[in-house]
């Protein structure tokens, strides 16, 4: 068995300019949407992450022909060769987002046979909103051990109400509805920027989708959709992570392709800490300069445009070193605070009460051996290692690979000291598989 880990050493303030990659949480669902058009879809600005490679494996398992040019970040998916609607359980177990093929498979084939996505460290993560609403659209859902078989003669357009603006449920229903004759409404829908990016690519494919306040998406079914070329949106979560790396190390960076208009609450909190955030005149790109005396701020996560839950962990790290006390409330997932125990190993002073964390700033963190529990916790722990006194070694690196495209190289490019190791458990020596200095 090979054990991978990342070693992070105390780094100087990060400085420089860095472009962000395409958004993982847009590209995965947009890859799934390629099933809806029987032809060759070309997607650009595709991050090289393990989740993207898993989604490619899934599409190929269904019969699609996929070519991924990792140098040019270009993906070509020919879905005309998709012949079956069963998703293998191994792929499902590796990535929950695999469940996003259910809507497209029902729309195109009237059938989907999928393993139930497991829960994860964030919580149970049920799929009841997806299934309840598919049933309202005329789908018969049979659950047997860990499998779901969903079938329908003809999907029916309905007015559907989500009890919570679930991103995945909104996306799955949209993709089931675009080829369903009649008008489907989704009330209390998720309007995250990544959902918006899905709607943009579907409109380009020929779908008839409009949005209304409050948070309603209206889909009028069309006969068929065309395969298109599309460039996926930049990743606001990677942008936030890089800004926090600069904030935590007291640095100064610019991200030319960041989209500040979809990061308002997060950027507001950085400014309330005393940091300087400058948005370019054309509204594209962010220049950031850290304050030398950051003040602790409180926040709670919530659906867009609230504070994104996917930036909660790295933002918590910034609070561990700020002056004062920060109260952080995680309202999206019931168990997204596992990184607290890891940060305590590094000397952070954090008390947890239910889904709240009370963080009291300390003068500095200390390096430790820590374990990443999810994609965003992994990011937070790497950022903490950049300023901790001494070295930090983080295992659970697979989480880190899932969510980012070479984020380690980007941090090193800005001055971070990050090394990637693979230690052969059988052998005695550790060897560098990637060393960035
Ligand atoms: C998407 O997950 C993202 N993943 C998550 O990013 C993100 O944190 C989340 O949206 C919230 O913004 C992708 O887009 C691939 P939800 P999703 O359905 O769709 C509960 C990352 O780190 N719920 O909006 O699964 C659920 O348990 C990942 O990149 C039900 O109860 O999120 C959670 O508490 C993590 N029943 C809440 O709703 C359901 O049927 C929000 O989940 C569905 C969800």
């Amino acid at each position: 068995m090979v054990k991978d880990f990342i070693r992070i050493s105390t780094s100087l303030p990060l400085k420089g300019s860095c472009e962000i990659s395409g958004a993982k949480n847009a590209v995965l669902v947009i890859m799934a949407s390629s099933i809806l058009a029987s032809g060759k879809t070309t997607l650009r600005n595709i991050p090289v992450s393990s989740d993207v490679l898993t989604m490619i494996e899934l599409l190929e398992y269904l019969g699609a022909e996929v070519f991924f040019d990792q140098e040019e970040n270009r993906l070509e998916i020919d879905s005309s060769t998709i012949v079956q609607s069963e998703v293998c359980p191994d792929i499902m177990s590796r990535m929950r987002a695999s469940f996003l093929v259910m809507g497209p498979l029902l729309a195109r084939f009237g059938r989907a046979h999928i393993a139930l996505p497991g829960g994860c460290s964030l919580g149970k993560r049920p799929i009841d909103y997806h299934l309840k609403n598919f049933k309202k659209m005329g789908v018969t859902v049979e659950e047997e051990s860990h499998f779901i078989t969903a079938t329908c003669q003809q999907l029916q357009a309905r007015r559907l109400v989500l009890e919570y603006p679930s991103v995945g449920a909104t996306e799955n229903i949209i993709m089931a509805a675009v080829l369903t004759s009649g008008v489907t409404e989704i009330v209390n829908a998720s309007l995250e920027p990544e959902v918006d990016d899905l709607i943009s690519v579907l409109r380009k494919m020929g779908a008839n989708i409009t949005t209304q306040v409050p948070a309603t998406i209206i889909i009028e079914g069309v006969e068929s959709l065309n395969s298109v070329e599309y460039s996926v949106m930049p990743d606001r979560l990677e942008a936030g992570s890089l800004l926090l790396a600069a904030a935590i190390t007291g640095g100064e960076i610019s991200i030319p392709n960041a989209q500040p208009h979809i990061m308002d609450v997060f950027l507001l909190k950085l400014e309330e800490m005393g940091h300087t955030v400058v948005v370019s005149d054309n509204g594209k790109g962010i220049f950031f300069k850290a304050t030398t005396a950051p003040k602790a701020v409180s926040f709670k996560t919530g659906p867009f445009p609230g504070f994104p839950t996917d930036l909660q962990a790295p933002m918590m790290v910034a609070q561990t070193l700020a002056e004062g006390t920060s109260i952080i409330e995680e309202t999206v997932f019931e168990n997204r605070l596992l990184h607290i125990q890891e940060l305590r190993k590094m000397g952070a002073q954090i008390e947890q009460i239910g889904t709240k964390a009370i963080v009291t700033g300390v003068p500095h963190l200390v390096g430790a051996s820590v374990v990443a529990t999810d994609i965003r916790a992994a990011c937070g722990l790497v950022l903490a290692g950049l300023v901790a006194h001494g070295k930090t070694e983080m295992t659970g690196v697979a989480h880190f690979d899932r969510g980012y495209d070479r984020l380690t190289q980007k941090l090193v490019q800005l001055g971070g000291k990050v090394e990637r190791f693979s230690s052969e458990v059988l052998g005695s020596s550790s060897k560098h598989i990637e060393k960035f200095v």
Side-chain angles (χ1 to χ4, degrees), residues 8-27:
I8 313 107
S9 307
T10 315
S11 306
L12 294 172
L14 298 194
K15 287 203 185 314
S17 175
C18 183
E19 296 252 337
I20 48 178
S21 302
K24 164 182 95 77
N25 291 347
V27 74

Side-chain angles (χ1 to χ4, degrees), residues 275-310:
H275 300 301
T276 302
V277 176
V278 178
V279 172
S280 318
D281 294 344
N282 65 2
K284 191 164 171 254
I286 294 174
F287 169 75
F288 174 89
K289 182 173 174 48
T291 174
T292 51
K295 301 222 174 333
V297 293
S298 296
F299 62 95
K300 70 162 96 171
T301 65
F304 186 81
F307 191 100
T309 175
D310 295 334

